[in-house]
Amino acid sequence: MQPRNIIFLVYLNRTGSTFLANQISRHPEIAVAPEGHEALRRLIGDLAPRVSLEARMERLFVDLNMDEKFSSWNIDPRCLRSRLIGARDEVDALYGVCEAYADSVRPSAKAVLIKGYFFQRLIARYGYDALSRGRQVRALFLLRDPRAMFASQKQSISTGKGGFEKKIQGVKIRSGTEEDS
């Protein structure tokens, strides 16, 4: 079987990455992986591995059960193990995770989209040519006007949708300044 293409969705918080991923997930040939930041950051070792690749790959199996976000990927552990066999480095292991995800949830997918704000470092370190490894690799970088990001964060604070857990009593946030209520 031909290796699936990889699409890295690189973003800053509050740039619309979840909305975009949800829209792309409607395409029948693209498997869009849910967020799994911590598990994937441990796998690629923040690009400065202090732990062996084998230990990081074994940690994935713990994360499949313990990490709330990564466990939502619903990857079959046997499929994951078979996809990790022969991984030479963190890129091969990451692609193995992507392949196992697509095998488990959308076997007909020809591409896997994976979100992560930290993938820009992986792309910068390896470059597209070295990352390709027999597949097409693309990156979508989401940017947004900082004023819109602030307005979105402010809205999420006031509605209780993410952001800070509690609104600070007695202080109103307006246009980047604090004012007494």
Side-chain angles (χ1 to χ4, degrees):
M1 180 180 207
Q2 181 108 6
R4 291 178 175 96
N5 298 323
I6 303 294
I7 305 164
F8 292 108
L9 180 55
V10 183
Y11 62 93
L12 296 173
N13 288 334
R14 316 298 309 171
T15 56
S17 62
T18 300
F19 174 77
L20 180 61
N22 287 338
Q23 297 304 309
I24 292 172
S25 72
R26 295 178 179 177
H27 194 290
E29 294 181 349
I30 302 175
V32 177
E35 292 183 12
H37 300 289
E38 293 309 312
L40 296 177
R41 285 183 65 198
R42 280 191 288 273
L43 174 64
I44 63 174
D46 281 331
L47 306 177
R50 290 176 283 288
V51 178
S52 73
L53 178 63
E54 292 77 21
R56 287 182 277 148
M57 289 190 302
E58 279 304 313
R59 175 62 195 245
L60 284 173
F61 294 96
V62 173
D63 288 337
L64 273 176
N65 295 314
M66 304 299 286
D67 184 289
E68 183 179 334
K69 288 186 176 186
F70 191 56
S71 64
S72 73
W73 288 34
N74 297 318
I75 296 176
D76 178 340
R78 292 180 307 252
C79 179
L80 179 59
R81 189 159 310 275
S82 72
R83 288 293 192 169
L84 292 176
I85 292 173
R88 299 168 304 202
D89 60 18
E90 62 267 1
V91 174
D92 283 348
L94 177 63
Y95 290 170
V97 171
C98 292
E99 293 283 359
Y101 171 72
D103 290 345
S104 298
V105 300
R106 194 172 282 180
S108 64
K110 294 181 180 174
V112 179
L113 182 139
I114 184 167
K115 287 176 55 175
Y117 58 87
F118 50 89
F119 287 130
Q120 75 273 8
R121 289 178 284 178
L122 186 72
I123 294 164
R125 177 177 178 188
Y126 286 94
Y128 286 112
D129 291 338
L131 284 174
S132 66
R133 302 183 184 194
R135 63 181 85 223
Q136 287 187 4
V137 175
R138 298 290 183 259
L140 295 172
F141 291 88
L142 289 183
L143 301 174
R144 188 174 182 190
D145 183 324
R147 294 169 294 189
M149 291 169 60
F150 177 77
S152 176
Q153 183 66 34
K154 187 170 99 173
Q155 178 66 28
S156 71
I157 292 169
S158 64
T159 61
K161 294 180 185 173
F164 301 108
E165 290 189 22
K166 289 185 178 179
K167 189 174 178 180
I168 300 172
Q169 292 186 359
V171 176
K172 235 191 312 191
I173 300 174
R174 180 180 296 154
S175 302
T177 63
E178 296 180 0
E179 300 177 2
D180 291 327
S181 319

